[in-house]
Amino acid sequence: MGFSSAAPAVQTIFITEINGSGCESAPSSITLIVNATPAAPAITFAPATYCVGDVLTAPFVTAPGGSSTYTWYSDAGLTTALTTGTNPTIAQLGFSSATAAITSVFVTETISGCASAATQVTLTVNPLPTAAMAGTISICNGQSTNLTFTFTGTGPWNYSYSDGITTFPAVAAVSPANVSVSPTATTTYTLVSVSDANCTGTVSAAPVTITVDDAPSVALGVTASIGTVCSGGTSDIEVAASETGVSYQLRNNADNSPVGSAVAGTGATLLLPTGALTATTTFNVLATRGVCPPAQLTTTVTVTVAGAIDAGLTVTATASPICEGTSSSIQIAASESGVTYQLRNDADDSLIGAPVAGTGGTITISTGVLSAATTFNILASNGTCSIELTNLATVAVDVDPDPALTVTGPAATLCTGGVASILINNSEVGVNYQLRNDADDSLVGTSVAGTGGVIALSTGALATTTTFNVLATGGVCAPVELTTIVTVTVAGSIDLTLPVTADQTVFCAGGDTNINVANSEVGVDYQLINNADDSALSGVVAGTGGTLVISTGTLTASTDVSVLASNVSCAAKLSTVVSLTVNPSPDLSLGLSALSSTICFGTSTAIQVANSEVGVSYQLRNNSDNTTIGAPVTGTGSTLSLPTGGLTANTSFNVFASIGGCSGQLVSVVTITVLPSGDPLCAPVNNCATVVITPIETPARVVPCYPMVR
C-alpha cells in the first residue's frame, strides 16, 4: 500500500470491491496520518547547583506547548513517573537540599499521543565546607608561630579568623593551611567563617589561645649583701626590681652550676643566698620566663672570702612575746672582742640601730619599738670580713587592746528571762573580749575572739536590770576594760518559748526561706534578726494567736536567725535560734554579648560572658528549647567565650551557670542575626546565573502512531 512512518506525512488510498458479475463498487478511502515526534523539551532550572540548607527553586518548562503533556520521571528508563505539568514542585520531584547529593529527573513532551525524547534535569547539592583550627600554646614575645587550619570541601577556601579585635580574611589553596602570627600579648584566636569553591560553610572549632611570654630583662641591678665574707659565712646576692613571672637562679660563674633553688620574682628586691663560702666566688644569675630562652643577667658579683669570725654564737630574745608598742632586746653570748655586731631585720636585712662592739661576754642590742612579730639576724664584722651569725631570734608581738571601741546593747527594755547581745564594733584580731557584770566584774559567758568586725557577747537570760562592761585581753599586754559600759533594763514579759522552725535550712545564695513562729501572741510584734549582730532580716509582723510565716529575705551567706519579740513594755529574742546553711550560687546578672551579632550563613561567632566567676561552670544553650551547645566552660574571673558553632538561621542564646548544687540561667539573652546564603555582604556568593537546559537526546521509547481516517 506504500504506507510508511519514516517521516511525518498524510497518505490516502482508495479501495473498491468488484463482485462476481464484474461490477465495481464505489471507492472507499483509507488515510494514514504520521505525526512528528516532538523534540525533547527545553527546561529552565536556575540555579541548578545549591548548597546544603539552601532554598531550592523548582525547574519549569521553558516554552510549553498548549496541547502538550509534560511528564517527569525519576529514572532515565522512564519507568517511574513523578508528576505531570509544566511547573512541578520541589516536593513532587523529590528534590531536597537537606544533604549533599546529585539528583536527576527526566522530562518528556507528549503531543497527539507521541512522546519526545527525555531531557535530563540535574540538581547538584554541594556539602557545606568545615574548618578546624590548631596552634602552639605559648611563644616568647618577638617570636612567630603558626595557626593551622584544616578544611573539608572543595578548595580553594576563603576563611576568616579573629584575634578578638580584628577579623583577618585569608585564602587557602590546600588543606591544611598555615598562617604565621606574631602576637605581642596573650591572644585568643577564633575561627569566624569559611567558604569553599561552592558554598559558605560552618565553623565550630574551639578557640586557640596563644600565651605570649616576655623575655626577662637582663639589665637588673645585682649586688652582694656582704662583699667580703668570713670563711664559712654566707652572703645574699640581691636582684633589684625583680620581675613578676620570672624565676631567678643563682649560679657559680666558674661553671654555671646552680646554687640553691630558683626564686620567683616579686617586683621587689630578691635575696638569693650563696650558701656557706670557703673561697672567693663569682656569681651570675639566670632569669627564666615561660618558653622564652633563659637569659643571664648582665652583672656578675664576686664575694671575697677572707678572715674568720665565730658565726655560731648563741642569739636570744630577752622577751617574747611583748606587747605592741614596746621593745625587746637581742642578746649575743660570748661576743668576740674586735668584732662589731649589727642587728638586722631578717626579712630584708635592713639595719636596726647602730653596731655594738663585742666585749668577750654577752652584749645586748635593743629591737626598738615593735608593732608586729619580727625575726632578727646579726651581721658580725671585724674589719677584714663580715659574716651573718647562724642563729636567729624572733620576737612575737601581741595586740594592745583599744579601749575606745564602740559598745552597744539592746535599744528597748529586755523582757524578763530574755537574752540580749552586747555588740562590739571593729573588734581587733588577736584580742579576746570577755563580758562582765559591772557590779562585781564577775564573768558572763566565755570570751569571744575579735574578728576585725562586729562581735556579739551574750548576756544570758536576765531577770533583773544589769550593767555590763567588757574586758579586752591581748596576750601579754595588760587587760583593759573598754570605756563604754552598757545597762540592760529588764521589765515586762513575753512568752519566749514559742516553737520556731524553717521551711528549709539548706539552700543556695540568693534564695530565701520562711521562718514559722507557732502560737504567736496577740499584742506582740515579731521580727527576724541576724543572731550574730542583731541586724534586721525582715519587717515587723504582728502576732495573731496563730502561726506566723516570715520570709528571711534574700540571703547570701549562712546565717543564724533569731526572732525578736516585742510589745509595749519590752523586747527579747525567742529562745530558739534557727541555723540556715547558704551555699554559693552563681551571679546571674553577668553581662552577655556577641563577638559578632550579625554573621554570614553557616559561619559561627561566640557568646561572651563578662567577669565570669572562678569555679562556676557556664553552658551555652539555644534559647528556643535550652538545648546545650558545646561543652560547659569553667569561669576564670575574666571574660569567657562560648562558641556558637555554625548557624544557618537567626538564633537566640542563653547561658546556664552552675556551681555545686546551685544553678540558674543568666538574665541576659543574646540574639545572632544570620544573613541568607548568597547575601551580597558575604563572600563568595553562590552561583545564581540563569541556566537553560539544552535538550539531550536519549533513545525514544515512542512507537510510530498510525491514526486511521476512513
Side-chain angles (χ1 to χ4, degrees):
M1 290 189 293
F3 279 179
S4 171
S5 64
V10 177
Q11 295 175 289
T12 303
I13 61 173
F14 299 91
I15 304 170
T16 60
E17 180 181 0
I18 299 174
N19 61 17
S21 301
C23 295
E24 186 176 21
S25 69
S28 296
S29 64
I30 298 174
T31 300
L32 169 66
I33 300 173
V34 179
N35 292 318
T37 300
I43 304 299
T44 298
F45 188 21
T49 300
Y50 292 85
C51 298
V52 167
D54 282 353
V55 176
L56 304 182
T57 299
F60 59 89
V61 177
T62 304
S67 61
S68 299
T69 299
Y70 298 91
T71 305
W72 304 74
Y73 297 88
S74 64
D75 60 313
L78 309 181
T79 61
T80 303
L82 298 172
T83 187
T84 59
T86 60
N87 291 280
T89 66
I90 291 297
Q92 288 173 331
L93 298 180
F95 282 178
S96 171
S97 66
T99 58
I102 297 176
T103 307
S104 293
V105 297
F106 302 85
V107 192
T108 62
E109 180 180 3
T110 301
I111 303 175
S112 300
C114 295
S116 70
T119 296
Q120 181 175 337
V121 179
T122 298
L123 164 69
T124 300
V125 178
N126 291 309
L128 301 183
T130 63
M133 179 173 57
T136 304
I137 295 176
S138 297
I139 63 170
C140 189
N141 201 343
Q143 294 179 337
S144 298
T145 187
N146 285 333
L147 294 176
T148 299
F149 298 89
T150 304
F151 307 98
T152 65
T154 303
W157 293 270
N158 289 276
Y159 64 99
S160 62
Y161 62 95
S162 171
D163 62 3
I165 298 174
T166 304
T167 297
F168 303 94
V171 179
V174 296
S175 175
N178 290 324
V179 174
S180 179
V181 293
S182 303
T184 57
T186 296
T187 302
T188 297
Y189 293 92
T190 304
L191 194 56
V192 176
S193 66
V194 63
S195 59
D196 67 358
N198 301 312
C199 299
T200 298
T202 60
V203 292
S204 58
V208 171
T209 298
I210 298 176
T211 300
V212 178
D213 296 322
D214 289 323
S217 171
V218 297
L220 304 184
V222 181
T223 57
S225 61
I226 305 174
T228 301
V229 67
C230 303
S231 180
T234 66
S235 182
D236 288 318
I237 303 304
E238 299 178 345
V239 179
S242 63
E243 295 180 283
T244 302
V246 177
S247 66
Y248 297 88
Q249 175 64 62
L250 186 63
R251 302 191 301 180
N252 188 317
N253 196 59
D255 57 5
N256 287 334
S257 57
V259 177
S261 300
V263 178
T266 61
T269 297
L270 284 189
L271 303 181
L272 306 178
T274 63
L277 300 176
T278 58
T280 298
T281 306
T282 299
F283 297 92
N284 67 53
V285 178
L286 187 70
T288 304
R289 174 185 273 142
V291 298
C292 294
Q296 180 180 308
L297 302 193
T298 304
T299 302
T300 61
V301 175
T302 298
V303 177
T304 302
V305 177
I309 291 176
D310 185 355
L313 302 184
T314 300
V315 179
T316 57
T318 58
S320 178
I322 62 172
C323 188
E324 176 185 9
T326 63
S327 64
S328 182
S329 295
I330 304 301
Q331 290 186 329
I332 304 165
S335 63
E336 294 183 275
S337 297
V339 176
T340 60
Y341 297 89
Q342 174 67 61
L343 186 64
R344 303 190 301 181
N345 187 322
D346 194 59
D348 57 6
D349 286 342
S350 56
L351 306 183
I352 298 171
V356 176
T359 62
T362 298
I363 59 174
T364 301
I365 308 175
S366 175
T367 63
V369 173
L370 299 179
S371 59
T374 307
T375 298
F376 300 92
N377 66 52
I378 306 292
L379 181 66
S381 304
N382 62 6
T384 300
C385 65
S386 299
I387 192 169
E388 182 181 311
L389 301 192
T390 304
N391 295 313
L392 305 176
T394 298
V395 177
V397 177
D398 291 333
V399 177
D400 188 19
D402 179 0
L405 299 183
T406 300
V407 182
T408 58
T413 298
L414 183 69
C415 300
T416 301
V419 177
S421 294
I422 304 302
L423 303 180
I424 302 172
N425 292 335
N426 304 313
S427 62
E428 295 179 281
V429 176
V431 176
N432 290 322
Y433 297 89
Q434 175 65 60
L435 187 65
R436 301 190 301 181
N437 187 318
D438 196 57
D440 58 4
D441 285 342
S442 57
L443 306 185
V444 178
T446 58
S447 62
V448 176
T451 62
V454 177
I455 60 172
L457 307 179
S458 175
T459 64
L462 298 178
T464 60
T465 298
T466 306
T467 299
F468 297 92
N469 66 53
V470 177
L471 185 68
T473 304
V476 299
C477 297
V480 60
E481 182 179 306
L482 302 191
T483 304
T484 302
I485 60 174
V486 174
T487 297
V488 178
T489 302
V490 178
S493 65
I494 289 175
D495 185 355
L496 304 179
T497 64
L498 302 184
V500 179
T501 58
D503 285 353
Q504 55 180 339
T505 58
V506 179
F507 51 92
C508 296
D512 61 2
T513 189
N514 290 324
I515 302 297
N516 306 297
V517 181
N519 306 318
S520 63
E521 295 182 276
V522 175
V524 176
D525 292 331
Y526 299 88
Q527 182 178 31
L528 302 187
I529 61 174
N530 187 324
N531 195 55
D533 58 9
D534 290 351
S535 57
L537 297 176
S538 74
V540 175
V541 179
T544 62
T547 297
L548 297 183
V549 179
I550 309 175
S551 173
T552 62
T554 300
L555 296 179
T556 58
S558 295
T559 306
D560 289 337
V561 178
S562 292
V563 179
L564 180 66
S566 60
N567 59 20
V568 294
S569 300
C570 63
K573 298 177 185 178
L574 300 189
S575 303
T576 301
V577 177
V578 177
S579 294
L580 302 179
T581 300
V582 179
N583 293 320
S585 186
D587 182 356
L588 303 183
S589 66
L590 298 184
L592 293 184
S593 60
L595 184 62
S596 299
S597 58
T598 301
I599 62 174
C600 293
F601 181 92
T603 64
S604 76
T605 183
I607 304 302
Q608 297 182 313
V609 182
N611 303 313
S612 64
E613 296 179 282
V614 175
V616 175
S617 175
Y618 297 90
Q619 174 65 65
L620 186 63
R621 304 192 301 183
N622 187 314
N623 195 57
S624 65
D625 57 7
N626 288 334
T627 52
T628 58
I629 299 167
V633 178
T634 302
T636 61
S638 57
T639 298
L640 288 187
S641 289
L642 307 178
T644 62
L647 301 178
T648 57
N650 295 346
T651 308
S652 294
F653 296 92
N654 66 56
V655 174
F656 189 75
S658 61
I659 180 172
C662 300
S663 59
Q665 179 182 309
L666 301 194
V667 175
S668 297
V669 174
V670 177
T671 299
I672 304 300
T673 301
V674 179
L675 299 175
S677 178
D679 190 285
L681 294 177
C682 302
V685 180
N686 288 332
N687 177 18
C688 293
T690 299
V691 177
V692 177
I693 306 298
T694 301
I696 300 173
E697 296 293 339
T698 59
R701 73 176 183 88
V702 183
V703 297
C705 297
Y706 301 97
M708 301 292 289
V709 178
R710 292 183 180 273

